[in-house]
């Protein structure tokens, strides 16, 4: 693992770096990672926030935790990542039994695109994200959305070869948006 550690409103000390590397190295017992692990530490008022992003096998594991203490926030984020990895591996094992092949999308999407309405009733795009996509099933797209912790996910449907969107509905179920041309 190659750790890329940065801080916002906090100086990243050697002790913090050692703690992060020691704790996140525990994840290697679940998966063999030869990738960059992006860790961002930040402080907002009394909250200490740790955000970790790990791209692996075309997926992105991401976790963010807050606490009153930076060291406990690091422990919490490692626990969250362990849960995500176990959930991911369980789903892969289940699909392997069904003899389905998995294909994954590789991209970096931290925040969904946001449209901001200005006072003069014009729309302004605040941020634009571009990412390469690979075909995947609806179930794989839902898995990726849940791993990222997002409310929606844009993907190329392997069955229809069209761009689709899956989203989490207010009732807890999932929705699928398919275009009509």
């Amino acid at each position: 693992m190659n750790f890329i550690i940065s801080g916002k409103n906090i100086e990243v000390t050697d002790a913090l770096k050692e703690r992060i590397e020691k704790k996140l190295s525990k994840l290697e017992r679940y998966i063999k990672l030869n990738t960059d692990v992006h860790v961002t530490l930040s402080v907002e008022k009394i909250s200490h926030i740790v955000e970790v992003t790990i791209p692996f096998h075309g997926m992105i594991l991401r976790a963010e935790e807050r606490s009153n203490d930076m060291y406990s926030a690091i422990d919490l984020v490692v626990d969250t990542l362990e849960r995500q990895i176990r959930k991911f591996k369980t789903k892969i094992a289940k699909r392997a039994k069904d003899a389905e092949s998995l294909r994954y999308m590789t991209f970096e999407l931290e925040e969904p695109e946001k449209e901001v309405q200005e006072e003069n009733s014009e729309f302004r795009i605040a941020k634009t994200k571009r990412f390469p996509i690979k075909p995947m099933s609806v179930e794989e797209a839902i898995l990726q959305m849940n791993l990222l912790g997002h409310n929606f996910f844009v993907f190329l449907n392997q069955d229809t070869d069209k761009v689709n969107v899956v989203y989490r509905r207010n009732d807890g179920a999932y929705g699928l948006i398919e275009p009509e041309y």
Side-chain angles (χ1 to χ4, degrees):
M1 291 182 174
N2 180 26
F3 294 96
I4 300 169
I5 303 170
S6 60
K8 293 180 184 175
N9 301 326
I10 186 172
E11 180 183 337
V12 181
T13 64
D14 289 337
L16 281 172
K17 285 180 184 180
E18 288 175 18
R19 176 72 171 243
I20 290 166
E21 290 175 5
K22 178 182 175 187
K23 290 292 188 171
L24 288 176
S25 293
K26 289 178 11 180
L27 298 178
E28 287 183 335
R29 69 179 171 201
Y30 297 106
I31 51 177
K32 300 298 180 208
L33 293 175
N34 188 17
T35 186
D36 291 340
V37 177
H38 301 274
V39 181
T40 304
L41 309 175
S42 59
V43 177
E44 294 177 2
K45 297 185 182 179
I46 62 169
S47 291
H48 296 264
I49 305 162
V50 178
E51 179 183 327
V52 178
T53 305
I54 306 171
F56 97 107
H57 294 294
M59 303 288 279
I60 295 178
L61 293 175
R62 182 182 178 284
E64 179 179 321
E65 292 294 338
R66 343 179 137 239
S67 179
N68 292 335
D69 176 48
M70 187 61 75
Y71 291 97
S72 61
I74 292 168
D75 293 342
L76 290 170
V77 82
V78 170
D79 293 342
T80 301
L81 287 167
E82 285 178 333
R83 277 193 308 274
Q84 287 181 358
I85 291 169
R86 282 193 300 270
K87 182 177 178 181
F88 175 72
K89 288 187 119 188
T90 302
K91 290 199 183 241
I92 287 177
K94 181 180 174 187
R95 289 183 187 193
K97 288 180 183 177
D98 296 337
E100 291 183 15
S101 66
L102 293 177
R103 286 182 259 164
Y104 298 103
M105 178 163 51
T106 303
F107 68 99
E108 292 185 22
L109 180 62
E110 295 174 2
E111 294 287 326
E113 285 187 15
K114 295 180 181 177
E115 293 183 0
V116 179
Q117 186 173 5
E118 296 178 351
E119 291 180 16
N120 61 3
S121 298
E122 291 183 23
F123 293 100
R124 181 180 63 87
I125 303 297
K127 190 172 192 176
T128 300
K129 289 282 192 173
R130 290 185 173 83
F131 52 91
I133 59 175
K134 294 180 183 176
M136 65 174 49
S137 69
V138 174
E139 292 79 19
E140 292 170 39
I142 291 172
L143 173 63
Q144 179 70 44
M145 177 183 70
N146 288 334
L147 284 173
L148 288 170
H150 289 230
N151 294 326
F152 72 93
F153 188 77
V154 179
F155 69 104
L156 182 63
N157 191 323
Q158 70 184 14
D159 298 328
T160 62
D161 286 331
K162 293 183 180 176
V163 174
N164 288 181
V165 177
V166 291
Y167 63 96
R168 187 174 298 110
R169 296 168 39 98
N170 291 337
D171 63 3
Y174 296 101
L176 176 67
I177 298 174
E178 297 179 312
E180 283 188 15
Y181 297 102

